[in-house]
């Protein structure tokens, strides 16, 4: 492994110092509790510790507590007393310790757990969040990090991705100014679950329009009870997460004491790029939860509704992919330069998220609990933009090179002038829509004896619709100049033509794209826990999961040329109502110019009639695909407790067996070149062992060890049998490979965790992954219908090694004098090193989405009615994609960047609170480039946003 950066060394040293610090934050007491009846032991503990304890007599009846003797903290004493039993301790809002059965509260790992047993409380306030997250990490039987509801609320994230990015090891990639795709320890091949269930329909996360994951940007933060990131596999977990599992948890009625209701209303102001001004959007959420004790048992009902509207508006100058020109301008030199440059890429639009969560829980008696959940989410992104695309013509002798040289002996263009260039304008309207429904029924039976049984049945239905309509015009440019920058925006200018005059523009084309689909799945699970109470082997978990999943994709890509795509009739005679003069502030570089109006593009009928184009687009078989997957999984997991060198140790060892049968239907060219249906079938059996152990080195110090094998699923677009044109204007195409296999990884983790006081924590984690089967993009140029296309094909690579360090620290400084006793800090960092085959054939390109370094630092203040935080998030350079539009097979890198957010809250009354927040206060920007920083792609300033939130608790 390479040496960690100096910052990493310093952070590790600080962490170890904290871990080795004396246990000064918890008072040490003398305990003398004999082994025997659990009720008697708990009462004795309460008397000797002075702690307030709550428990149900029925839940502790028949259990025996271990002997606890010696000087130790109350927390350590209680942990020893309950060790090896199904009991665990949680704290309620009054800081009382509540003793519950372990099955009563969903474990921090993402196992299939029925809800409805937890007498836990949704904690308000900044400090409640870190405490809950810390408890989930400490109590988990795997390596887990979490973000609790209180943390999510105070960080004011728009969606689940922005909540998850605060977790060590999670890196989030922005999509139109919000968190979109994510990676766990550098791997995008990670699994998203909702309450432990698979949900489908992703675009950003999967990289395809109808993917087999859930996009975090779809889920508003207001409906989340927490986010768990599981980094070491457990046999009972759903397979499919190569890097790990990210589980989104929604609230349940038995999570809340008694009845409650709250309403949150927020208005956010978005600063937008020049030409779009600023806009305001409202967000609102409400929660009602009630519990009753009736003659048929305890009942709970919860309804959580959320509406989140947001806007975006950004402009950029996008330099196009580089290519080499020999004997540049007669100089005899080989020069690498861009194909051209797009200016005024004015992406603007709105997002709307409407989410409904309904939950019912019923505990008819002490032995049985039942639940029914419903999750409904509608996501719509509506965007439009207008851009001028300038393509370099004949190079002139007026140029300047960077002078740094390339591997081929050539140089890179820094500035140049081109004669006989061309320009197209594009007016674009695009929509992304997803409707997701999830039905979830389940229950648990356990009478306090040796056997506990859980059952679950779920149904997911997703409908996806993605459309893009683009109308283009064409103009000749006598002279064009390009200036390629590094660390600032690149520039383009034109001369010799009046771009404000419509007579210089001609209609060129209509591009119409649709990528629609549906996904349906039904899953059934049956799990059982058998308590053995032997000296070492404490219990055994067994289970089976059946899942039937069907995905359908359909759509089209139509390009209609008007008069040969560079028509002879100008726009001078076109109805002005169908045109729009793009203002100079929006075009950025070349001043005002005419283009088709967005309203006309959206409505389409008048433009289609004007140019004699079909009124309706037809579905094309090239883009039809059907996949059916049947999965049968079974597991066994042995839970153990023992001593290692005199220290208490516990954990699990297990194996998961997965049998997968996959059928695919698509279209491909036959021997005669005609399009014909093609079917493919495959079966696969995976044996996935796992081991997790933790050793209580000291009352406040935990050592963990984990090892496992995991499997990751492929995008279905990779498996398509034929060649498909993706964008005929940009000349992009791809050809799938049905023979590709799922990814696999063998993983080892080591961790050291130090817990101080009631809320403090520090941890150090070392991880190593040996992965196989990553996809490599092979780009080649092919002639399709007489045009040269960049075609991406896919093959799998050999072994990849991923190793790294995660550190985390959280502390509240309660012992400082007032008013500084409200201060706290939360920090985390991840440092990753990889040795992997290139993600692009013939080039040295890292794994997509992997930043070598990333960190989060959050300053916290909470005292009395005031709550505040200041959060900084940073990640180093990474590869964004290897298949961008117009640049198939050319890697696009993102330079390092960081953002600074804040929130300040004030409790006006016990029911009413006010929060002011802001995002990207430093005005950060994102700069992308093609492999070399002297081949800039774009330089995009990120916009700021400010919000005002009112929350009322009934």
């Amino acid at each position: 492994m390479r040496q960690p950066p100096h910052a990493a060394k310093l952070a590790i040293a600080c962490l170890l110092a904290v871990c080795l610090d004396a246990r000064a934050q918890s008072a040490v007491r003398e305990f003398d509790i004999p082994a025997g009846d659990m009720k008697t032991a708990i009462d004795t503990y309460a008397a000797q510790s002075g702690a307030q304890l709550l428990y149900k007599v029925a839940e502790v009846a028949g259990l025996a507590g271990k002997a606890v003797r010696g000087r130790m903290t109350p927390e350590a004493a209680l942990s020893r007393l309950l060790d090896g039993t199904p009991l665990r301790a949680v704290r309620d809002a009054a800081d009382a310790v509540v003793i519950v059965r372990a099955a009563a509260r969903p474990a921090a790992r993402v196992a299939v757990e029925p809800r409805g047993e937890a007498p836990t409380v949704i904690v308000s306030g900044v400090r409640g969040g870190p405490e809950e997250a810390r408890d989930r990490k400490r109590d988990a039987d795997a390596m887990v990090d979490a973000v609790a509801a209180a943390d999510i609320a105070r960080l004011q994230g728009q969606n689940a991705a922005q909540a998850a990015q605060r977790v060590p090891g999670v890196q989030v990639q922005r999509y139109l100014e919000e968190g979109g795709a994510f990676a766990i320890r550098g791997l995008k091949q990670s699994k998203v679950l909702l309450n432990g269930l698979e949900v489908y329909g992703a675009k950003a996360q999967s990289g395809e329009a109808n993917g087999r994951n859930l996009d975090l940007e779809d889920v508003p933060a207001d409906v989340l009870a927490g986010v768990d990131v599981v980094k070491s596999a457990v046999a009972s977990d759903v397979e499919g997460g190569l890097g790990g599992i990210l589980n989104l948890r929604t609230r349940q009625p038995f999570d809340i004491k008694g009845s409650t209701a709250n309403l949150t209303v927020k208005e956010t102001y978005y600063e937008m790029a020049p030409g779009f001004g600023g806009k305001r959007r409202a967000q609102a959420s409400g929660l009602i939860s009630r519990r009753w004790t009736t003659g048929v048992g305890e009942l709970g009902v919860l309804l959580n509704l959320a509406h989140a509207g947001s806007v975006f508006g950004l402009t950029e100058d996008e330099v196009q992919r580089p290519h080499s020109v020999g004997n540049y301008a007669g100089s005899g030199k080989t020069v690498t330069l861009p194909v051209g440059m797009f200016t005024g890429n004015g992406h603007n639009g709105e997002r709307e998220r409407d989410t409904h969560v309904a939950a019912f829980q019923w505990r008819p008696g002490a032995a049985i609990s039942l639940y029914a959940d419903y999750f409904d989410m509608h996501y719509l992104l509506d965007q439009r933009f207008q851009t001028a695309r300038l393509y370099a013509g004949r190079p002139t002798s007026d140029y300047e090179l960077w002078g740094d040289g390339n591997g081929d002996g050539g140089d890179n263009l820094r500035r140049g002038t081109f004669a006989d260039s061309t320009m197209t304008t594009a007016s674009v309207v695009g929509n992304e829509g997803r409707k997701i429904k999830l039905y979830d029924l389940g229950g648990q039976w356990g009478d306090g004896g040796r056997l506990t049984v859980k059952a679950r049945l779920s149904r997911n239905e997703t409908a996806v619709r993605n459309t893009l309509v683009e109308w283009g015009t064409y103009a000749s440019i006598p002279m064009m100049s390009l200036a390629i920058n590094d660390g600032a925006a690149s520039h383009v200018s034109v001369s010799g033509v009046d771009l404000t005059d419509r007579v210089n523009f001609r209609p060129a084309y209509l591009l119409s794209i649709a990528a629609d689909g549906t996904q349906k799945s039904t899953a059934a699970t049956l799990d059982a826990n058998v308590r053995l109470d032997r000296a070492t082997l404490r219990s055994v978990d067994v289970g089976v999961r059946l899942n039937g999943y069907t995905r359908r994709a359909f759509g089209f890509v139509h390009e209609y040329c008007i008069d040969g795509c560079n028509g002879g009739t100008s726009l001078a005679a076109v109805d002005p109502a169908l045109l729009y003069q793009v203002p100079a502030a929006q075009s950025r570089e070349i001043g005002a110019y005419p283009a088709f109006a967005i309203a006309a593009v959206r409505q389409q009928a008048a433009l289609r009639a004007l140019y004699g184009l079909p009124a309706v687009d037809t579905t094309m078989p090239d883009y039809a695909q059907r996949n059916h997957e049947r999965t049968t999984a079974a597991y066994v997991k042995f839970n153990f407790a023992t001593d290692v060198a005199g220290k208490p140790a516990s954990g699990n060892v297990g194996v998961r067996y997965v049998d997968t049968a996959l059928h695919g239907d698509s279209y491909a060219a036959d021997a005669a070149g005609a399009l014909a249906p093609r079917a493919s079938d495959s079966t696969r059996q995976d044996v996935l062992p796992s081991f997790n152990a933790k050793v209580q080195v000291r009352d406040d110090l935990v050592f963990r060890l984990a090892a496992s094998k995991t499997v990751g699923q492929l995008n279905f677009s990779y498996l398509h049998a034929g060649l498909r044109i993706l964008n005929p204007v940009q000349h992009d195409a791809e050809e799938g490979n049905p023979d590709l296999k799922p990814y696999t990884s063998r993983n080892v983790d080591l961790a050291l965790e130090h817990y101080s006081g009631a809320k403090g924590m520090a941890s150090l984690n070392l991880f190593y992954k040996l992965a196989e089967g990553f996809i490599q993009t092979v780009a080649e140029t092919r002639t399709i219908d007489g045009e040269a296309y960049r075609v991406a094909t896919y093959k799998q690579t050999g072994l990849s090694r991923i190793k790294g360090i995660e550190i985390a620290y959280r502390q509240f400084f309660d012992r400082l004098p007032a008013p500084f006793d409200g201060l706290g800090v939360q920090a985390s960092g991840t440092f990753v090193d990889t040795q992997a085959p290139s993600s692009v054939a013939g080039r040295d390109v890292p794994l997509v989405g992997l930043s070598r370094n990333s960190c989060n630092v959050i300053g916290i203040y909470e005292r009395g009615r005031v709550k505040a935080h200041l959060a900084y998030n940073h990640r180093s350079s990474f590869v964004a994609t290897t298949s961008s539009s117009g640049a198939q097979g050319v890697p696009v890198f993102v330079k390092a960047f960081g953002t600074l957010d804040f929130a300040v809250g004030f409790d006006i009354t016990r029911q009413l609170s006010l929060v002011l927040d802001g995002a990207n206060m430093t005005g950060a920007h994102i700069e992308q480039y093609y492999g070399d920083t002297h081949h800039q792609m774009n330089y995009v300033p990120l916009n700021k946003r400010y919000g005002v939130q009112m929350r009322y608790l009934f």
Side-chain angles (χ1 to χ4, degrees):
M1 179 185 290
R2 299 175 190 169
Q3 289 295 316
H6 292 299
K9 295 179 181 178
L10 178 60
I12 294 169
C14 294
L15 175 72
L16 292 175
V18 171
C19 291
L20 297 175
D21 188 24
R23 293 158 285 172
Q25 304 229 14
S26 294
V28 176
R29 295 173 180 266
E30 185 73 35
F31 288 92
D32 185 6
I33 306 173
D37 175 68
M38 181 60 76
K39 180 181 183 304
T40 302
I42 290 176
D43 292 342
T44 303
Y45 167 83
Q48 294 182 7
S49 66
Q52 180 185 358
L53 289 175
L54 300 175
Y55 64 91
K56 293 181 179 179
V57 175
E59 291 189 346
V60 303
L63 300 178
K66 289 185 176 181
V68 180
R69 292 186 174 88
R71 290 182 57 80
M72 65 191 75
T73 64
E75 291 87 354
L78 185 57
S79 177
R80 291 189 183 184
L81 179 64
L82 303 181
D83 182 48
T85 75
L87 302 177
R88 68 183 305 277
V90 298
R91 289 187 179 271
D92 70 4
D95 209 35
V97 178
V98 183
I99 306 297
V100 297
R101 282 190 174 267
R105 173 178 169 182
R109 63 176 174 82
V110 187
V112 181
E113 297 281 356
R115 271 86 60 192
E117 299 293 311
T120 57
V121 178
I122 292 180
V123 183
S124 62
V126 175
R127 302 191 182 198
E131 183 177 6
E132 180 187 343
R134 189 188 83 151
D135 288 346
R136 294 183 74 84
K137 179 179 180 70
R138 181 176 56 189
D139 298 340
D141 59 1
M143 295 192 181
V144 174
D145 283 292
V147 180
D151 281 327
I152 295 172
R154 69 181 172 85
L155 294 173
Q156 296 292 308
Q158 294 286 93
N159 58 37
Q162 289 164 290
Q165 72 177 349
R166 310 298 179 182
V167 175
V170 175
Q171 298 168 338
V172 170
Q173 189 170 339
R174 287 177 175 261
Y175 174 58
L176 294 176
E177 301 206 281
E178 288 192 17
F182 77 97
I184 299 177
R185 293 173 171 174
L187 295 179
K188 287 187 65 177
Q189 299 83 3
S190 299
K191 194 76 172 175
V192 182
L193 301 179
L194 180 64
N195 292 324
L197 297 171
E198 290 183 301
V199 180
Y200 305 99
K203 180 178 181 181
Q205 182 60 32
S206 63
E208 57 184 339
N210 188 25
R212 61 182 307 157
N213 226 328
L214 174 66
D215 267 344
L216 297 184
E217 68 166 305
D218 292 5
V219 184
D222 289 345
V223 301
L224 296 178
V227 178
D228 296 329
V229 179
V230 183
K231 301 172 182 176
S232 66
V234 179
S236 52
D237 288 345
V238 176
E239 67 281 350
L242 194 70
I245 294 176
L246 193 151
N247 185 44
L248 306 176
R249 293 181 286 112
T250 60
R251 297 177 175 90
Q252 302 295 319
F254 285 179
D255 290 344
I256 303 171
K257 258 189 174 180
S259 300
T260 189
N262 64 65
L263 176 66
T264 302
V265 179
K266 180 179 180 180
E267 181 170 274
T268 302
Y269 175 80
Y270 296 84
E271 277 191 6
M272 309 241 277
F276 300 117
K279 292 185 179 180
R280 292 177 172 82
R281 282 296 183 274
Q283 298 89 36
S285 64
L287 181 145
I288 301 174
S289 180
R290 187 171 181 185
R291 296 170 66 169
W292 302 270
T293 300
T294 71
V296 295
E298 186 175 9
L299 304 175
V301 176
L302 180 144
L303 181 65
N304 196 178
L305 308 179
H307 169 78
S310 63
V311 298
F312 56 91
L314 53 91
T315 58
E316 60 176 332
D317 293 331
E318 183 175 305
V319 183
Q320 294 305 285
R321 63 177 175 84
H323 72 298
S324 294
V325 174
N327 192 26
Y328 185 87
S331 66
K333 299 178 180 178
T334 297
V335 175
T336 300
L337 69 152
V339 171
M341 182 170 169
F342 298 176
T343 181
N345 254 1
H347 291 269
N348 66 104
E350 301 84 29
R351 284 183 174 92
E352 301 287 340
R353 305 178 186 88
D354 289 292
T355 306
H356 314 104
V357 180
F360 170 76
Q361 291 179 293
W362 177 28
R363 189 183 292 123
I368 189 169
S369 64
L370 304 169
Y371 72 88
D373 287 352
Y374 173 73
F375 178 90
D376 179 282
M377 188 278 298
H378 291 187
Y379 172 90
L380 177 64
L381 183 149
D382 180 65
Q383 70 164 317
R384 53 267 180 196
F385 65 91
Q386 287 168 311
T387 184
R389 298 168 175 166
L390 295 111
Y391 297 94
R394 176 172 50 83
T396 71
S397 59
D398 181 16
Y399 69 91
E400 179 185 355
L401 304 179
W402 280 100
D404 47 4
N406 292 319
D408 60 3
D411 206 335
N412 298 311
L413 183 73
R414 183 169 190 172
R415 180 190 57 79
T417 301
F418 304 87
D420 304 324
S421 299
T422 59
M423 169 181 168
T424 63
T425 74
S427 300
V428 184
V429 172
N431 290 287
E432 296 176 21
R434 290 181 282 277
K435 295 183 178 180
I436 296 174
K437 293 183 178 181
L438 177 64
Y439 308 87
D440 181 19
L441 302 172
Q444 170 181 303
W445 176 87
D447 62 358
R450 293 184 177 274
L451 179 64
T452 301
V453 179
K454 309 167 191 174
R456 192 173 198 179
L457 179 66
S458 64
R459 172 75 172 176
N460 171 222
E461 297 177 356
T462 297
V464 174
R465 181 169 176 79
N466 299 279
T467 62
L468 182 142
V469 178
E470 176 179 318
W471 282 82
T473 69
Y474 173 89
S476 296
I477 305 297
M479 197 66 68
M480 179 183 82
S481 296
L482 278 175
I484 312 303
N485 288 325
D486 178 3
S490 297
H491 298 287
V492 62
S493 62
V494 300
S495 60
V497 63
D498 181 3
L499 293 183
T500 65
D501 191 346
R502 287 187 292 166
V503 75
N504 292 316
F505 290 83
R506 299 180 290 280
Y509 63 88
L510 162 62
L511 174 64
S512 184
I513 299 175
D516 304 335
T518 61
Q519 301 193 54
K520 298 180 179 180
S521 70
T522 301
T525 61
L526 182 65
D527 302 270
N529 173 268
V530 181
R531 200 173 79 241
L532 302 177
D533 293 338
R534 295 181 180 175
T536 299
L537 187 59
R538 310 303 299 174
S539 65
V540 177
D541 289 302
V542 295
V544 62
R545 178 177 182 268
L546 307 176
N547 185 48
Y549 165 62
T550 300
R551 172 188 180 269
R552 297 178 185 273
F554 41 89
F556 52 79
V557 176
H558 289 291
E559 182 188 27
Y560 304 99
C561 272
I562 302 171
D563 294 333
C565 281
N566 58 358
T569 304
S570 77
L571 298 181
V574 175
D575 183 353
L578 301 178
L579 299 175
Y580 171 70
Q581 193 79 359
V582 178
Q586 187 175 324
S587 76
R588 290 173 59 90
E589 299 285 334
I590 59 173
Y593 64 87
F596 289 116
I598 290 295
V601 171
R602 190 184 298 278
Q603 195 270 341
Q604 284 208 72
L607 286 176
R608 286 179 180 254
L610 176 64
Y611 295 109
L613 302 181
V616 178
D617 297 311
T618 57
T619 299
M620 301 170 66
D622 315 49
Y623 304 92
Q625 186 177 10
R626 177 184 176 274
N627 303 95
H628 179 73
E629 184 177 81
R630 176 191 54 77
T631 304
T632 303
Y635 74 89
V636 59
K637 177 167 70 78
F638 299 95
N639 306 300
F640 62 85
T642 186
D643 288 338
V644 175
K647 306 294 183 181
S650 62
N652 59 78
V653 58
V655 63
R656 187 177 186 89
Y657 173 80
V658 185
D659 182 276
T660 304
L662 178 63
H663 174 82
D665 293 307
S666 58
Y667 285 82
D670 60 16
L675 204 61
R678 180 180 297 181
S680 62
D681 289 279
S682 64
T683 59
R684 180 182 176 90
Q685 293 75 40
D686 289 288
V687 178
L688 307 175
S690 61
F691 170 80
N692 291 273
K694 64 178 180 180
V695 180
Q696 195 77 35
V697 179
R698 216 169 56 190
D699 294 339
D700 58 353
L701 194 62
V702 175
F703 171 77
R704 293 182 187 267
L705 170 65
S708 65
K709 180 182 178 181
T710 52
V711 62
Q713 297 147 327
L714 290 169
N715 290 352
F716 284 112
S717 61
Y718 292 150
L719 302 175
H720 190 276
L723 175 71
R724 297 188 293 190
I725 293 176
L726 302 178
N727 189 323
V729 174
Q730 300 295 323
H731 287 190
D732 295 335
E734 73 170 356
E735 185 173 52
N737 181 354
D739 296 326
L740 297 175
K741 306 299 181 185
Y743 321 99
T744 60
S745 179
R746 286 165 281 175
N747 320 289
V748 177
D749 289 80
L750 297 172
L752 189 64
E753 302 166 0
H754 176 261
Y755 298 92
S756 57
K759 305 174 183 69
M761 185 205 73
S763 64
L764 170 67
N765 189 298
L766 308 179
F767 59 89
Y768 179 85
K769 293 178 178 291
L770 187 64
E772 187 171 12
F774 286 130
I775 301 299
Q776 185 179 70
T777 301
V778 182
E780 55 189 57
T781 300
R782 298 187 194 176
T783 300
I784 303 174
D785 296 332
E787 300 278 354
Y789 275 76
R790 293 281 292 180
V791 180
T793 62
Y794 308 105
K795 68 177 185 178
Q796 291 185 293
T797 62
L799 294 177
S800 301
R801 292 172 174 82
I802 304 167
K803 49 192 175 182
I805 303 170
E806 290 175 357
I807 58 174
Y809 176 71
R810 183 185 297 129
Q811 184 66 58
F812 289 93
F813 304 104
D814 307 81
R815 298 189 177 187
L816 292 176
F820 304 106
D821 54 346
L823 290 171
V825 65
Q826 181 176 325
S828 64
T830 304
F831 313 94
V832 186
D833 183 39
T834 61
Q835 295 175 349
S838 174
S839 56
V840 177
R843 306 185 65 162
D844 182 17
V845 181
L847 297 176
V848 174
L850 173 66
S851 285
R852 181 173 172 80
N853 306 318
S854 62
C855 71
N856 292 285
V857 180
I858 304 173
I860 302 167
Y861 184 82
E862 180 183 355
R863 191 171 191 275
R865 296 185 176 189
V866 178
K867 303 175 180 67
H869 91 271
L870 187 67
Y872 179 73
N873 176 265
H874 173 85
R875 63 180 300 186
S876 62
S877 178
F878 63 96
V879 176
T881 180
T882 59
S883 56
S884 63
S885 181
Q888 296 287 64
V890 179
V892 176
F893 288 77
V894 180
K895 282 189 176 182
F897 71 96
T899 57
L900 182 68
D901 307 334
F902 80 91
V904 178
F906 181 75
D907 294 333
I908 300 171
T909 69
R910 296 188 66 177
Q911 288 78 34
L912 183 64
S913 60
L914 171 70
V915 177
L916 306 177
D917 71 278
N920 191 31
M921 293 300 96
T922 55
H925 65 271
I926 291 179
E927 183 175 3
Q928 301 186 89
Y929 58 95
Y930 300 103
D932 185 305
T933 57
H934 289 167
H935 298 154
Q936 187 185 77
M937 177 182 179
N938 58 23
Y939 185 94
V940 185
L942 299 176
N943 296 322
K944 300 177 181 179
R945 63 175 172 84
Y946 305 90
V948 180
Q949 174 182 289
M950 297 291 292
R951 184 173 186 268
Y952 190 84
L953 180 65
F954 293 90

